[in-house]
Amino acid sequence: ARHPSPAVRRALVVALRRQQSPLATRFLADPEPIVVAEAARAIHDVPILAGYRQLARMADTGPNHPSVVRRALNANFRAGTPATATTLARYAAQEGNPLPFRLMALRMLEQWAKPSNRDQVLGMWRPLKPRGSQAAATALRQHLAGILAGPDKVRQQGAQLAAKLGLREVAPALNRIYSDPSQPAVARANALRGLATIKTDLLPGALQRALTDRSGLVRAAGRT
């Protein structure tokens, strides 16, 4: 057919997947999200390494189809370059991106230096070599403002990750989370631990307040 239907195009991708053909990459530009998703699954899951770079770029340009986003983010994580770390941080900071995937991007940055031996999407044994945390720290610093302006869960996870990576400029944000009684106790306790990690001047006052806090979790974190 001169203009095959989406169903036919999807079947073509399945056939190319079975052949492990790089031609499947062409369908990442298909106008139909379900065809793009099939192409993303083929490239990521087989894997078809020749298409990995283009799949990674789909984190910025692809449809918000769950199969595409998960695999595009994971392609960036597995590539392990400073540029792909920046893509993950940018995705986490971008207003309008789905919350679960913004959190997924932050978790990938958290695991950047010591990646799990199991694939983030498939759970299969696909080990990666350890790598330094510098690329993740630099990427997070570049997009920290957008992350800290995000929803509560993004802000909390991003602030804790920044503290873990030694970004001292996150101290005011951590202190705001810790000092806000409307935040969940676990988030406030984690924020206090983050203040301790970066050894900020805000810590002594925060610790004094923690010891008399109404939350047992916060008091325990302060004693620790």
Side-chain angles (χ1 to χ4, degrees):
R2 187 173 181 180
H3 298 291
S5 69
V8 171
R9 299 199 303 275
R10 188 179 181 187
L12 286 171
V13 176
V14 172
L16 291 169
R17 172 178 177 156
R18 289 171 180 164
Q19 297 172 11
Q20 301 183 24
S21 172
L23 293 176
T25 305
R26 296 184 181 182
F27 290 88
L28 290 175
D30 196 277
E32 186 65 41
I34 195 169
V35 177
V36 177
E38 196 66 59
R41 282 190 286 266
I43 293 163
H44 177 277
D45 297 0
V46 170
I48 300 173
L49 296 180
Y52 244 57
R53 181 178 298 179
Q54 189 169 335
L55 176 59
R57 289 199 293 266
M58 298 295 286
D60 288 324
T61 62
N64 270 338
H65 190 291
S67 290
V68 177
V69 177
R70 276 195 296 269
R71 287 164 172 81
L73 293 177
N74 198 35
N76 282 282
F77 175 73
R78 293 188 65 82
T81 68
T84 59
T86 299
T87 297
L88 292 175
R90 182 170 58 245
Y91 188 93
Q94 185 65 49
E95 183 181 0
N97 284 338
L99 176 61
F101 296 130
R102 294 177 74 176
L103 296 175
M104 181 180 186
L106 288 172
R107 286 194 299 273
M108 288 176 169
L109 289 172
E110 183 177 7
Q111 298 169 23
W112 188 268
K114 296 180 180 179
S116 168
N117 287 325
R118 294 198 175 275
D119 185 85
Q120 296 267 6
V121 173
L122 302 175
M124 296 170 59
W125 189 260
R126 286 184 174 178
L128 293 170
K129 293 181 180 179
R131 50 210 181 189
S133 61
Q134 186 58 49
T138 300
L140 191 66
R141 179 177 281 114
Q142 290 173 357
H143 294 280
L144 190 58
I147 290 168
L148 295 180
D152 282 351
K153 289 184 178 181
V154 171
R155 185 169 64 252
Q156 292 162 13
Q157 189 168 321
Q160 291 159 23
L161 174 58
K164 184 177 180 180
L165 292 174
L167 306 187
R168 295 178 62 84
E169 59 265 40
V170 81
L174 285 168
N175 194 49
R176 284 194 296 271
I177 294 170
Y178 161 69
S179 302
D180 184 354
S182 68
Q183 295 291 335
V186 65
R188 296 180 60 230
N190 285 337
L192 183 61
R193 294 186 186 99
L195 290 172
T197 298
I198 56 178
K199 299 179 174 62
T200 170
D201 292 342
L202 296 171
L203 181 61
L207 286 175
Q208 282 188 335
R209 300 194 305 275
L211 296 177
T212 57
D213 197 273
R214 288 185 297 176
S215 166
L217 276 176
V218 176
R219 292 196 304 272
R223 288 193 298 270
T224 301

